[in-house]
Amino acid sequence: MPRLAIGPDLPGALGALAPSARREVLAALRRFLHNAPGSPHAERVRGGHDPRVATLRLAEGVRGVVVRQRDVYWLLTVLPDAAAWETAVRRRYGINPVIGVVEEWDAEALERVEPALRRSAGASRLFDPICDGDLLALGLDVRILPLVRHITTEADVEAVEPYLPPTQHRPLAVLAVGGSMSEAWRELDECRAVEEEPGEVDPEDFYAALRRSPDRAVFVDSLAALERLLDAPDWGVFLHPPQHRLARTTGWRHPVLVTGAAGTGKTLIALHRAAHLAQHGEGRVLLVTFSQGLREELSRRLDLLIEDAIVRKRIDVENPDHLALRIVADAEGRQPVLAGPGARSLTALAEEAAGLLDMPVGDLLDADVSSGRGEVRKPYRHVVVDEGQDVSPAQWRLLRAAAPRGADDLFVVGDPHQRVTENRVSLESLGIHAVQHSLRISYRLPQELLSFGVRLRGGGPANGLVKGVAGLGGYRAARHGERPMIRRYESAEAELAGLATTVRGWLAEGVRPGQIAAAARTTALVRAGRRALDGLGVLVTSFHGLKGLEFDRVALYGVAEGVVPDPPPVEPGARARALLRERSVLFVACTRARSLLYISHYGRGSPFLSL
């Protein structure tokens, strides 16, 4: 029986086929998996750069591109015949000799690039100070060593990026800007998706390499498993290596803090971490997020991510105040009476009404307060916190008390630059000594939107979560895209008409309504936007309402002077804090877009737009 691994491009490629062709492909793959009569067979590619690359005829005029080694088949994509042959001819695949993951090369393009680099090479070449042995120790493929030796400038390194696997390009990019060998090694290590060292890498064992590359391949053993994979959301299966490693590692002896800029996958990691602990951990899991709206969104995503109903029931999704309300109600045997808007938070109430800090927390947090040996029991074994930058000190004390100290007890993700509250506390100041991991690559945002957002956020480093301050330097995007569209109108009516025209244009291009959001700073503007976009099926909400969500396209309207920022207090210290918070709110709203961001105003625009 063949062992079939699916590549991340396959679901999208199958979705692009006509329904009848898609049914044919799935029927052919069913026969292939069961080695049934008439099942597709690998056809060798003439003139290809890799003898392991073949095609499978899966439907009339449609072929799959596979990498084959003995009984292992890695199905990369399905394409029309001509495109499949072209892809199969030009690509080459290998195994990184240091970390043992699979690599994909555009071998045909590299053959064209090398003579051009040779002709333009200067007398002094970029990697001359580095010996061949050091480059090979970083996993550099010996076949591209001659090309690397012709590189003269940093621009040359950038130019070859599309043709190299990240495991080859990222260490070279570090060295190109004067980084050390140890820095280049750390960059290579970031491409590792699993914690375990591979030991001695077998360059011919493709099965082992695919197992070490869960961002590039997932094995399926039946058509039902394949269909589940194809029906899963794109965020539910293939995680980038740092995301996969952080979500799936177990046995951490200290709390873990993961920080990263917008689009680096923090919420995704929190979801997968909670699901992994529910499956492989030692007890119930609490997933905490900022608001009721995000609580409902994360619950919905977990329902999609976890098929086993028993495993899903092991996870509670809460926001801190709702958790506090439940704890107080359990402790007192009745729902507490809530005071008005000026009252303290529910979490503070939980600490003072219930005496959380002055009594054994087990008495408050669990009706079964002890085992027969008198040991305190907690309601949760694992706590995962999303949007950690907006958690208050009182809420942190509650969350720390919700699970016993031990392996994999507390896992936190957040970004101080996306804070929309006044909470600026570091975990260390609360006695939570966490091991910090930083994410540096934004996979959601194109570089143009990331750069725009970083400039807009301004204000220098941010404090909170981590000890000291955290800067925004060093973040980069994994791809390029469109610049933000900023439009000025002469009147409020004209701006709303422009918003409606823009959104209708996106819908006419085939963008689904659920992939579009429009947002404004004030309640009145949100109501006006809903009237303008009535019947189009897109989300219209406040800037705060976008927090934690993402869309293909986002339209922000009413970004005008006097509206953004909201008029700040007069007192200098409070004014500075309020303006920085307003920048963070706009930064969060801008960074919800995966591909296109539209910003509009009438009259004078927000001073934040003067980048």
Side-chain angles (χ1 to χ4, degrees):
M1 298 287 288
R3 292 183 286 182
L4 179 64
I6 301 301
D9 295 334
L10 182 70
L14 270 174
L17 296 178
S20 59
R22 188 179 191 273
R23 287 193 295 271
E24 269 193 80
V25 168
L26 291 177
L29 288 175
R30 180 192 294 113
R31 295 194 300 272
F32 178 79
L33 281 166
H34 292 93
N35 209 17
S39 64
H41 63 277
E43 299 181 31
R44 306 189 78 176
V45 179
R46 292 183 181 178
H49 288 83
D50 189 334
R52 291 173 296 198
V53 179
T55 68
L56 300 173
R57 187 181 183 280
L58 298 174
E60 183 65 34
V62 176
R63 288 182 177 272
V65 180
V66 296
V67 183
R68 177 192 181 189
Q69 186 187 59
R70 294 185 291 275
D71 65 335
V72 176
Y73 292 80
W74 180 22
L75 180 56
L76 303 167
T77 188
V78 292
L79 295 167
D81 284 345
W85 285 115
E86 180 185 358
T87 299
V89 165
R90 69 183 300 158
R91 300 288 176 177
R92 174 166 65 84
Y93 297 86
I95 299 172
N96 185 279
V98 175
I99 63 173
V101 300
V102 293
E103 298 179 323
E104 180 179 28
W105 307 73
D106 190 336
E108 191 172 280
L110 289 172
E111 285 183 351
R112 296 195 303 267
V113 166
E114 184 175 348
L117 287 174
R118 186 186 303 115
R119 289 192 299 270
S120 63
S124 177
R125 303 180 186 185
L126 197 59
F127 296 106
D128 281 350
I130 305 171
C131 71
D132 289 356
D134 283 345
L135 291 174
L136 294 174
L138 284 172
L140 191 75
D141 191 294
V142 68
R143 286 169 287 187
I144 68 158
L145 195 55
L147 178 148
V148 170
R149 288 304 182 194
H150 295 314
I151 289 177
T152 305
T153 66
E154 293 174 32
D156 293 339
V157 177
E158 185 176 344
V160 300
E161 180 179 6
Y163 316 129
L164 300 178
T167 42
Q168 299 285 319
H169 183 266
R170 287 172 60 175
L172 287 176
V174 170
L175 297 175
V177 296
S180 66
M181 286 293 296
S182 60
E183 290 170 328
W185 168 258
R186 283 197 294 272
E187 196 71 20
L188 175 65
D189 203 48
E190 280 295 297
C191 298
R192 191 195 307 272
V194 293
E195 279 287 299
E196 303 83 38
E197 295 284 343
E200 186 174 349
V201 174
D202 182 351
E204 298 302 319
D205 191 345
F206 232 76
Y207 177 75
L210 290 170
R211 285 292 188 189
R212 294 188 203 103
S213 310
D215 60 314
R216 303 298 305 155
V218 172
F219 280 88
V220 295
D221 56 7
S222 67
L223 185 64
L226 174 60
E227 289 180 325
R228 285 196 299 270
L229 183 150
L230 296 175
D231 291 338
D234 54 2
W235 50 265
V237 181
F238 298 99
L239 300 182
H240 295 283
Q243 298 170 349
H244 187 278
R245 188 172 62 248
L246 290 166
R248 305 294 175 84
T249 298
T250 53
W252 272 316
R253 294 294 172 185
H254 300 279
V256 173
L257 169 62
V258 179
T259 59
T264 51
K266 299 181 297 298
T267 296
L268 184 65
I269 291 170
L271 282 166
H272 281 266
R273 181 70 179 167
H276 181 75
L277 291 171
Q279 179 73 47
H280 302 284
E282 300 174 352
R284 294 190 60 78
V285 180
L286 172 65
L287 175 59
V288 180
T289 192
F290 173 71
S291 66
Q292 178 65 18
L294 285 178
R295 176 191 175 203
E296 294 170 358
E297 173 65 14
L298 293 191
S299 294
R300 183 189 68 81
R301 289 193 177 196
L302 283 173
D303 292 342
L304 294 174
L305 185 62
I306 303 174
E307 296 177 10
D308 189 322
I310 295 176
V311 173
R312 174 64 184 89
K313 287 180 180 178
R314 293 176 189 151
I315 305 175
D316 288 342
V317 186
E318 295 281 13
N319 61 62
D321 282 349
H322 191 273
L323 174 66
L325 180 64
R326 178 160 60 83
I327 289 172
V328 173
D330 290 345
E332 296 187 348
R334 61 181 177 83
Q335 289 293 321
V337 178
L338 301 183
R344 295 181 301 275
S345 73
L346 288 172
T347 312
L349 178 66
E351 290 189 335
E352 299 171 12
L356 174 61
L357 301 181
D358 300 321
M359 64 185 294
V361 293
D363 291 351
L364 177 68
L365 296 174
D366 195 335
D368 298 322
V369 295
S370 64
S371 68
R373 295 170 296 178
E375 295 173 343
V376 172
R377 294 180 60 187
K378 301 295 185 73
Y380 299 102
R381 177 59 186 83
H382 311 282
V383 176
V384 179
V385 183
D386 187 29
E387 304 286 354
Q389 72 277 356
D390 287 309
V391 177
S392 72
Q395 291 168 341
W396 278 122
R397 287 191 287 270
L398 178 66
L399 296 177
R400 175 62 278 187
R405 297 178 186 272
D408 302 319
D409 55 350
L410 183 61
F411 187 93
V412 181
V413 303
D415 177 14
H417 297 92
Q418 297 186 61
R419 185 192 307 111
V420 297
T421 65
E422 281 298 319
N423 298 316
R424 301 171 184 272
V425 64
S426 71
L427 296 183
E428 188 169 301
S429 69
L430 297 172
I432 301 173
H433 302 290
V435 176
Q436 185 179 352
H437 299 263
S438 296
L439 302 170
R440 292 288 172 182
I441 300 178
S442 177
Y443 299 101
R444 177 172 71 235
L445 303 175
Q447 185 63 51
E448 291 74 11
L449 288 188
L450 179 63
S451 298
F452 174 82
V454 169
R455 294 195 304 273
L456 182 148
R457 168 59 175 74
N463 57 355
L465 277 183
V466 300
K467 184 179 181 181
V469 296
L472 272 172
Y475 290 112
R476 64 186 188 277
R479 59 188 174 87
H480 287 277
E482 299 290 332
R483 296 177 182 274
M485 304 161 55
I486 301 179
R487 299 288 184 266
R488 178 186 181 277
Y489 294 90
E490 295 298 326
S491 67
E493 294 76 16
E495 183 184 7
L496 289 172
L499 171 68
T501 299
T502 298
V503 171
R504 286 193 178 96
W506 291 345
L507 293 170
E509 292 174 21
V511 183
R512 299 193 308 275
Q515 289 300 309
I516 297 174
R521 181 65 181 86
T522 69
T523 302
L525 282 170
V526 171
R527 285 198 296 264
R530 286 174 177 164
R531 289 193 296 269
L533 301 178
D534 185 45
L536 298 184
V538 304
L539 175 68
V540 184
T541 187
S542 66
F543 288 176
H544 285 81
L546 292 178
K547 187 174 176 65
L549 306 178
E550 62 179 74
F551 303 87
D552 185 72
R553 304 185 184 193
V554 171
L556 306 180
Y557 61 99
V559 189
E561 186 177 58
V563 179
V564 180
D566 194 42
V570 176
E571 191 273 318
R575 178 183 178 85
R577 291 192 298 272
L579 287 174
L580 186 56
R581 186 173 63 251
E582 287 286 304
R583 279 191 181 273
S584 295
V585 171
L586 182 57
F587 173 69
V588 168
C590 287
T591 54
R592 302 304 97 193
R594 288 193 297 266
S595 61
L596 281 181
L597 173 65
Y598 168 94
I599 299 176
S600 70
H601 61 88
Y602 79 90
R604 191 185 297 272
S606 166
F608 293 165
L609 297 179
S610 302
L611 303 178

